[in-house]
Amino acid sequence: MGFFVRFWGVRGSIPTPGPRTRRYGGNTSCIEMRSDSTVLIFDAGTGLRELGVSLMRNPPKEGLDLHLFLSHPHWDHIQGFPFFGPAYLKNTTLTVYGSEKNENYQLLSGQMSNAYFPVAFKDLSARIVPKAFVDDEVQAGDFVVKRFEQKHPGGSAGFRVEHGGNACVYATDSELDLMLIDPNGPAKAPRTLRRLPTPLVTPMKNADLLIADAQYTDEEYPAKVGWGHARANTVVDLAIQAGVKQLALTHHDPMQSDRDVDAKVLTASERARSIGAELDVFGAREGVTLRLDRG
Amino acid sequence: MAVKRTQTIDEEVPQTMMNRLPASFKPRPRRAHQLEQTAGPGSPCKHELSADALIIGRGSAADLRIDSDDVSRTHAQLLRIDDEYTIEDLDSRNGVFLNGLQVHAAVLRDGDQLQLGDVVFTYNEGS
Ligand SMILES: [Zn+2]
Ligand SMILES: [Zn+2]
């Protein structure tokens, strides 16, 4: 029982510490999903370091058994890995999920090569095991994880995570506006629902929680076309089409202060309301844990 | 010919510019983190937080007792980790809401609003 989701890093592109970002947090992408017996980690941005500290506070006697999923190997999604304490413990088992070619495993070890970092990947004490998805699906402990492709420079994977009748979707680094059925829709009629193709909507169907890249506002986006990220209003429309219950906007732009993120969330909530959807929109914030399996 | 001694960088830079505190510096006394109750039975009132762990609830086991039927006997607990307080829902009937969002747990930040049943708190971060 139990399906908990905790945000450890919600910032996009580069860590953004400082007083302007203190409430939402400045660490880059890292999400923990856990049940009573399994710990899944999505992305290894700088938020991973603090997750590691927390895991090592009360480690189980038999050692940590962790499952790591990477959306893609851009810096802000892997940079925390060399600072992940449990990787240095002998009795940790860390399963790294990827394709048959194990590109994620290769890329994690690549960033630890000599010139970049003093410890080599092969010298990490943990048992690090690559594991492949089969037909875009894999069992990780008592969770089932399904993978889907997204539009992003170099590609990125989204994940639908299921456990005991609940579902959480993690869909970061996805430029939704390049996937729109009517690419000119937002410019012509910004208030009209922006329709997205079925293959993108289906993996999110009826999820309890969608955690989605919503880096930009409608105003910021036109200057960032092709950079690989979504604007919050289009994410709202995707969530509505998928019948999602709750939407967490994440991958906040480094330029956005806490107040800017507040304003982005407020605009997105108003959009959901104006379309008439019962969608609960909030801004992903470091240190917050949600429970999905409550009534 | 006598050699003129070159001034060192240390001598050129005034003390306060150095990466050390001036002798006159006195650290301010620390201010405790605080929960300020703004709605619900017993409000308004302020609770200074000093314990590493405390329970908020209606029951006699609670450290911060609130006489409201909307609050569970052991509703939530506050845990201090690295001098930051985290609130955690203890399977309460009406849940814990952080700035309007129902959460299982959250590290608190200055100005956060917490709602437990009909009870509302503002979290004032100390120093
Ligand atoms: Zn990113
Ligand atoms: Zn990226």
Side-chain angles (χ1 to χ4, degrees), chain A residues 83-102:
Chain A
F83 299 88
F84 184 49
Y88 295 80
L89 299 180
K90 227 178 23 229
N91 58 356
T92 295
T93 303
L94 180 66
T95 309
V96 182
Y97 294 81
S99 71
E100 294 69 23
K101 288 175 289 178
N102 277 315

Side-chain angles (χ1 to χ4, degrees), chain B residues 14-33:
Chain B
Q15 281 291 302
T16 49
M17 297 281 285
M18 303 285 293
N19 190 17
R20 66 171 98 105
L21 294 167
S24 60
F25 179 80
K26 294 261 186 327
R28 265 190 9 193
R30 299 195 65 173
R31 204 157 18 89
H33 302 306

